[in-house]
Amino acid sequence: MTPDQAVELGIFLKNRREQAGVAMYGLATKLGVDRSQLTRLEQGSVRNPRPEILAAYAEAIGVPAADIFTMAHMPLAKGLPTLRPYLRAKYRDLTAEDAAQVEAFVDDLMRKHGNGPQDGEDER
C-alpha cells in the first residue's frame, strides 16, 4: 500500500469504528493487540497490516472484510467487496457524493432487476 492508501484505509477504519460505537480500548482487547497498534493503523502509519487483524477488525465493526481488504490492496480469498470501496479504489477522483449517487443508482437497479448471478452461477 502506498502511504496515501494507508491513510485512506486508516480514516475509513476509524470512521466506521466510531459509527459502530466501538471504543478503541475494547476493540484492542477483543483483537488481542495493543491499542497503539490499532492507533497506528487508524493513523495510516501501517502500510502492510496483517490480514488476520484486518479481518477481525472488520468483523468487530460490522464491515465486510472484502471491503477492507480491497482498500488495503490485498487479494481476496473469497467474496467481492461492496460497491463503495471498489469505486474508491478504481475512481480515486470520484467525490463521496458522486460515489453515493452511483451506489444508490446500482441499488435501484438491483431492486428492479434482482441481484445478478447467485453463488455457483455463470455470470454470462
Side-chain angles (χ1 to χ4, degrees), residues 41-56:
L41 182 62
E42 288 185 357
Q43 290 173 342
S45 301
V46 180
R47 291 186 53 196
N48 295 305
R50 293 184 6 226
E52 62 273 13
I53 296 296
L54 292 181

Side-chain angles (χ1 to χ4, degrees), residues 3-117:
D4 288 343
Q5 291 166 339
V7 168
E8 183 179 2
L9 175 63
I11 291 168
F12 175 81
L13 292 173
K14 181 178 181 181
N15 287 341
R16 293 304 293 264
R17 177 182 58 76
E18 290 175 346
Q19 288 172 1
V22 176
M24 176 71 77
Y25 180 79
L27 180 60
T29 301
K30 181 174 185 169
L31 301 183
V33 298
D34 189 80
R35 188 172 54 162
S36 65
Q37 183 177 352
L38 296 183
T39 299
R40 287 190 308 274
L41 182 62
E42 288 185 357
Q43 290 173 342
S45 301
V46 180
R47 291 186 53 196
N48 295 305
R50 293 184 6 226
E52 62 273 13
I53 296 296
L54 292 181
Y57 195 117
E59 183 178 341
I61 64 171
V63 172
D67 289 4
I68 293 176
F69 279 38
T70 298
M71 291 187 70
H73 298 272
M74 294 179 160
L76 301 173
K78 62 180 179 177
L80 295 173
T82 57
L83 187 56
R84 188 157 305 200
Y86 171 78
L87 291 172
R88 198 177 291 126
K90 175 101 174 149
Y91 305 104
R92 301 191 62 75
D93 293 334
L94 197 63
T95 67
E97 294 80 22
D98 290 340
Q101 285 181 350
V102 170
E103 195 171 33
F105 176 76
V106 170
D107 287 344
D108 287 343
L109 285 177
M110 288 171 53
R111 279 191 292 282
K112 186 175 180 181
H113 299 289
N115 288 328

